Amino acid sequence: MNDRVSEETGPGVANKALESFAEQSTEFMALMGRLQAVALRAQETAKAKASGEDFSIVDFRSVAEAYLRSLPAFFERPLASFESMQRFWLDWAQAWQDAWSGEGGKVSDKRFRDRRWNADPMARGLRDSHLALERATESFLARLPTGTKESLRVKFYTRQLLSALAPSNFLALNPAAREKLLETEGRSLLDGLRNLVDDLERGEGRLDIATNDPSAFVVGRDLATTPGKVVYENSLMQLIHYEPRTETQHKRPLLFVPPWINKYYIFDMRPENSMVRYMLDQGHSVFLISWVNPTREHAALSFEDYMKLGPLSALEAMEKATGEKRFDILGFCIGGILVTATLAWLAARGDKRIVTATTLATMVDFTDVGEVGVFIDRDRLEALRVHMADTGYLENYHLQDMFSMIRENDLVWSFHVMNYLMGEKPPAFDLLFWNADSTRLPAAMLLWYLEKVYIENGLRKPGHLSLDGTPIDLSKIDVPFFVLATKEDHIAPWTSIYPTTQLLSGEVKFVLGGSGHIAGVINPPASRPKYGYWTRNDYPESSADWFAGAEQHAGSWWPEWSAWMEAHDDEERVPARVPEKGGLKVIEEAPGRYVQAK
């Protein structure tokens, strides 16, 4: 007995430790070999982007110019600048004093929610002094002129720098990461290095930070599983007709128009959060566009092509499939912009096929685009034009990187800590899986959209834009319109969606959902409601005035939308429409080939 205990606590433990060390050393050397192989590619990629030889969403020249042009604003009031610096040093010193005296309390910042940040005086001091620096910098930069591109860039990139310097991002300063390193006897650091190498290899030298488990879901097996048939296709899209889930259905079919920046199945995730399935359960006959993932051969496709080959072709196919001539339509994000533009085109031609329209997280007024404006101007447009002259399209990761930088702590640095410092893998999360499954954008469409819709704000100017030879005017749209925005949307700020209520001539219902661009939209009814939403029956010119008098509701906005749809339908229901028995031949089972293309 004593011999066995001695073996377990003596030579046996030592041997196991040596074996573990040898195993980890072997793994480490193999990883270093892989890292060395990809490091040269990463260095070349970074150099090309910094020098302008390769396209980058960050224009280093314009960033430098923004800082130089902003300097006079601080020199004009040197005393105020000195007072701000003095206030920061006092707050910084107070943070350390409170940390060592034990007076530093918990903070709400998600980066520091782990209990160990509050348990250790050194960690408390690092945390609180960094937060003091962020507050002081924000106050210091508040004196920059408002409404200028330079001020927006200075504030944005200064925040990026401070977010990168947060003590939570460094192994030696993060108490949770340090503790895990000791608990796992170095395994977490090795796993973190492996995650880093995997991400660099997947990005072919570009750091493609994993935000989801790519093996957790399979489209058609776990996601996009609502039964349906592809009944029509052209070079740009497939049209899915879903199997009914009720014995009778509304007479007017409903067309879903998804964004073409990502795949269509944001509307059909898992059964419990599928908007397609929900509307089928409400008795709607649902059709949905599945966009192609463009290649070089699609380079010349224009925004007009997206209209003609997208919703217009879909409406013609739906008429053949069902015999109906009147429809409801819904668009999300850029799909909503296409729906709105198409409705203006139909209005100009006196076409009354659409009876109701719904847009989700869709801006049509680009006066204030939020921080997205940091990345897009005419100089960037020309850089894009040169880049896409060679490729024919914009690679999918550029927009992913742009949107991630706007919420850098949630979408970049939180995964940096999880993946590299803690050595963990991201959890299976359907929305982030979809978010990573993005698509390319054809050159002609993107350049026209950025110039005419984004930079020139042409949608809100009557007659400024023409589609297929017809000038369009949003004020001519008179169909009942349901407009959803989300309160924390970092891509389409709700205050920039609200002006839609003033631009259309027909009845408008505006609903403000909780959360952000994706989670606020895909917020199904559930036993434990999440974000809630706000409504109001009148629409003053100011979004702030509207919100001040809006009523907050718990739960999902989906039933509110469904009830609105019901209120605009007084026709008798028809027998449920089965795709196989319609007027179009079935091509293949949903989800179809287009959504599977990489």
Side-chain angles (χ1 to χ4, degrees):
M1 179 71 175
N2 291 335
D3 289 343
R4 190 173 70 181
V5 171
S6 175
E7 183 179 346
E8 291 176 350
T9 57
V13 172
N15 288 337
K16 288 181 179 179
L18 287 173
E19 291 175 3
S20 176
F21 178 76
E23 179 184 338
Q24 291 191 27
S25 297
T26 301
E27 291 183 40
F28 176 76
M29 294 305 296
L31 286 171
M32 289 304 295
R34 290 169 57 192
L35 182 60
Q36 185 176 9
V38 77
L40 182 60
R41 179 68 183 274
Q43 182 179 356
E44 292 173 350
T45 299
K47 181 180 178 181
K49 289 184 179 296
S51 64
E53 294 177 12
D54 190 15
F55 178 76
S56 170
I57 59 167
V58 179
D59 180 16
F60 296 95
R61 180 182 59 82
S62 65
V63 173
E65 288 179 355
Y67 277 94
L68 287 173
R69 291 176 181 176
S70 298
L71 285 176
F74 303 111
F75 292 140
E76 287 172 1
R77 299 176 60 194
L79 183 59
S81 298
F82 176 76
E83 289 176 350
S84 294
M85 295 181 65
Q86 185 180 45
R87 191 178 308 113
F88 159 65
W89 285 113
L90 290 173
D91 290 346
W92 185 86
Q94 187 66 49
W96 279 106
Q97 181 178 331
D98 291 345
W100 287 108
S101 67
E103 295 181 9
K106 293 182 179 179
V107 298
S108 59
D109 195 307
K110 290 188 290 186
R111 293 172 293 177
F112 308 108
R113 61 187 172 189
D114 190 283
R115 58 174 177 76
R116 283 163 285 205
W117 283 103
N118 206 53
D120 175 25
M122 178 63 73
R124 283 203 304 270
L126 289 168
R127 175 197 68 189
D128 294 346
S129 60
H130 181 77
L131 292 175
L133 174 60
E134 289 186 334
R135 290 192 300 270
T137 304
E138 183 179 1
S139 175
F140 184 71
L141 296 180
R143 68 192 60 199
L144 289 173
T146 58
T148 69
K149 187 78 74 172
E150 288 78 15
S151 296
L152 186 64
R153 283 186 170 134
V154 168
K155 292 177 181 179
F156 179 82
Y157 285 108
T158 302
R159 195 187 76 221
Q160 298 299 313
L161 175 63
L162 291 176
S163 295
L165 293 176
S168 52
N169 299 331
F170 298 91
L171 178 62
L173 305 181
N174 188 318
R178 290 200 313 268
E179 186 172 310
K180 186 165 186 180
L181 176 67
L182 297 175
E183 289 176 349
T184 61
E185 298 178 340
R187 169 58 61 179
S188 63
L189 182 60
L190 190 64
D191 290 341
L193 179 60
R194 179 179 296 103
N195 291 341
L196 174 63
V197 173
D198 287 344
D199 290 350
L200 283 169
E201 289 177 339
R202 185 175 57 256
E204 298 180 340
R206 179 185 63 89
L207 185 57
D208 184 11
I209 301 177
T211 59
N212 67 93
D213 180 358
S215 63
F217 302 102
V218 174
V219 176
R221 185 196 70 189
D222 310 295
L223 307 173
T225 60
T226 302
K229 302 290 191 295
V230 175
V231 295
Y232 171 82
E233 68 180 33
N234 57 37
S235 60
L236 190 57
M237 66 91 171
Q238 289 188 315
L239 184 67
I240 299 173
H241 183 189
Y242 286 96
E243 301 283 355
R245 291 176 57 84
T246 54
E247 292 185 1
T248 62
Q249 292 182 317
H250 292 275
K251 194 172 188 297
R252 294 195 307 269
L254 169 62
L255 175 63
F256 279 66
V257 182
W260 53 89
I261 295 172
N262 292 81
K263 305 291 183 67
Y264 85 79
Y265 61 90
I266 186 61
F267 287 133
D268 187 30
M269 302 296 284
R270 293 169 292 117
E272 57 267 31
N273 63 351
S274 167
M275 186 178 287
V276 164
R277 186 176 291 254
Y278 177 80
M279 293 309 282
L280 288 170
D281 288 338
Q282 310 313 306
H284 289 272
S285 181
V286 177
F287 289 77
L288 182 146
I289 288 175
S290 174
W291 299 106
V292 74
N293 191 359
T295 61
R296 179 183 291 274
E297 69 182 48
H298 299 96
L301 286 176
S302 64
F303 193 86
E304 289 178 349
D305 291 323
Y306 270 82
M307 179 183 74
K308 292 188 290 185
L309 297 176
L312 293 182
S313 291
L315 292 175
E316 292 175 4
M318 291 163 66
E319 181 176 346
K320 293 177 182 178
T322 65
E324 297 297 334
K325 297 181 181 296
R326 302 169 77 238
F327 308 93
D328 300 307
I329 195 168
L330 172 146
F332 180 19
C333 190
I334 195 172
I337 292 174
L338 179 62
V339 164
T340 306
T342 301
L343 285 168
W345 183 86
L346 291 172
R349 297 195 170 203
D351 191 317
K352 300 293 185 181
R353 277 179 286 176
I354 300 299
V355 179
T356 73
T358 298
T359 56
L360 313 176
T362 297
M363 285 196 301
V364 295
D365 180 0
F366 288 77
T367 303
D368 180 11
V369 297
E371 290 185 330
V372 174
V374 167
F375 302 99
I376 302 173
D377 56 23
R378 291 198 179 274
D379 288 340
R380 287 287 82 198
L381 193 66
E382 288 309 307
L384 262 178
R385 196 183 306 277
V386 172
H387 172 69
M388 292 192 295
D390 294 329
T391 63
Y393 55 79
L394 181 67
E395 298 85 349
N396 55 7
Y397 61 81
H398 288 296
L399 289 183
Q400 284 185 339
D401 291 346
M402 180 179 75
F403 295 139
S404 293
M405 286 181 69
I406 295 174
R407 290 180 55 201
E408 73 281 0
N409 286 323
D410 291 334
L411 298 177
V412 177
W413 295 112
S414 66
F415 291 101
H416 163 86
V417 173
M418 178 193 301
N419 298 1
Y420 309 145
L421 303 191
M422 306 295 286
E424 299 173 358
K425 291 287 189 181
F429 185 23
D430 56 356
L431 294 184
L432 285 179
F433 179 91
W434 169 84
N435 190 59
D437 192 11
S438 54
T439 61
R440 296 173 288 273
L441 298 174
M445 182 283 303
L446 182 59
L447 291 171
W448 185 92
Y449 170 78
L450 290 178
E451 180 177 13
K452 299 299 182 181
V453 176
Y454 186 92
I455 294 177
E456 296 179 5
N457 200 10
L459 270 178
R460 72 161 299 151
K461 300 174 182 177
H464 185 80
L465 302 180
S466 292
L467 294 175
D468 198 26
T470 300
I472 62 172
D473 181 355
L474 299 192
S475 68
K476 303 301 183 184
I477 300 174
D478 59 1
V479 303
F481 223 104
F482 185 101
V483 178
L484 176 86
T486 54
K487 194 167 183 288
E488 299 169 21
D489 195 330
H490 65 293
I491 297 172
W494 82 267
T495 52
S496 295
I497 295 175
Y498 181 79
T500 306
T501 61
Q502 315 295 315
L503 295 175
L504 307 177
S505 61
E507 172 205 333
V508 179
K509 182 176 180 64
F510 179 83
V511 174
L512 178 63
S515 193
H517 191 73
I518 305 302
V521 172
I522 308 304
N523 180 26
S527 56
R528 298 178 63 183
K530 289 185 179 180
Y531 310 116
Y533 62 97
W534 289 261
T535 62
R536 180 172 167 176
N537 292 329
D538 63 316
Y539 303 103
E541 184 174 352
S542 164
S543 59
D545 291 342
W546 179 88
F547 187 72
E551 179 183 0
Q552 185 174 8
H553 310 270
S556 169
W557 62 268
W558 292 12
E560 185 86 21
W561 174 48
S562 177
W564 181 85
M565 294 280 287
E566 291 280 353
H568 290 85
D569 188 356
D570 57 2
E571 299 178 273
E572 291 186 5
R573 293 201 177 196
V574 299
R577 298 183 177 100
V578 179
E580 299 92 325
K581 298 180 180 180
L584 292 174
K585 183 179 178 180
V586 171
I587 297 174
E588 61 182 332
E589 296 283 332
R593 304 185 316 281
Y594 284 17
V595 76
Q596 305 284 2
K598 297 299 183 182

